[in-house]
Amino acid sequence: MISLSDAKMTTTEARRLLEMLKRSLIAELMLPTRGGKEEFDVVGDTNTDIFTICTYRGKINPKKYDIGARVKKNGILLLELHIGPTNVHYNPDGTEIKGSHWHIYTEEHGRKYAIPADDLESSSFVDNTILFLERFNVIEKPEIAFQLEVI
């Protein structure tokens, strides 16, 4: 039996899944409190492709957070956004990415390769969650409920 960590897919298949239009299976998303995470599912336009989106908020630094989307059936992380001005990521080729960055699945590197998140215009958890959902092609998004401390 193949473990989730050993699961692989082609870059072409990953790109197809990333570009597929999706809709949320929940009406409202509560953003996590410090140190917490919230997960919800979205479904692709074929209704057979289901993905789980996870939002995580830092416990010590609430302005540091991660948002990721994985294929539900095999756990492959297709897209991740890591927010934090002090983040440092080392790519397999030795390049260093400082600050907020994206991980996009490829067959060669899995999710180990990162690119700078130059498209962020705000440090707001809400704004960047919406940006993530748009980049993941979720066209029917949940309403985002948040506490004032999250902003």
Side-chain angles (χ1 to χ4, degrees):
M1 180 168 178
I2 194 166
S3 75
L4 291 182
S5 62
D6 294 333
K8 292 194 181 238
M9 72 173 53
T10 66
T11 299
T12 302
E13 175 66 3
R15 179 103 25 235
R16 181 188 74 78
L17 294 173
L18 283 166
E19 293 172 358
M20 174 185 295
L21 299 179
K22 302 164 192 83
R23 60 184 161 75
S24 174
L25 294 177
I26 63 168
E28 184 176 78
L29 170 64
M30 283 294 283
L31 292 179
T33 56
R34 285 178 181 241
K37 74 176 186 175
E38 295 292 331
E39 291 189 350
F40 69 99
D41 290 341
V42 298
V43 64
D45 55 12
T46 63
N47 288 330
T48 59
D49 292 302
I50 300 174
F51 309 88
T52 299
I53 295 177
C54 179
T55 58
Y56 169 78
R57 185 170 177 213
K59 186 173 187 174
I60 296 170
N61 180 356
K63 294 191 183 282
K64 186 174 182 177
Y65 51 93
D66 300 330
I67 308 166
R70 68 182 183 272
V71 179
K72 189 161 185 123
K73 68 182 172 187
N74 61 17
I76 291 177
L77 282 159
L78 293 173
L79 182 67
E80 289 181 288
L81 176 58
H82 295 243
I83 302 288
T86 60
N87 286 348
V88 177
H89 175 85
Y90 296 95
N91 282 328
D93 64 3
T95 58
E96 180 181 86
I97 305 296
K98 293 182 179 180
S100 300
H101 56 272
W102 291 95
H103 292 269
I104 303 170
Y105 181 91
T106 64
E107 186 174 7
E108 181 181 3
H109 296 292
R111 56 147 314 273
K112 294 177 183 162
Y113 200 88
I115 58 172
D118 295 333
D119 51 352
L120 300 181
E121 296 179 11
S122 167
S123 62
S124 164
F125 200 163
V126 174
D127 291 347
N128 290 320
T129 299
I130 292 168
L131 174 70
F132 181 90
L133 293 173
E134 288 172 356
R135 183 131 186 207
F136 195 55
N137 286 318
V138 179
I139 58 170
E140 292 182 26
K141 300 170 189 60
E143 292 292 322
I144 298 179
F146 55 93
Q147 306 82 5
L148 288 178
E149 70 168 320
V150 173
I151 297 175

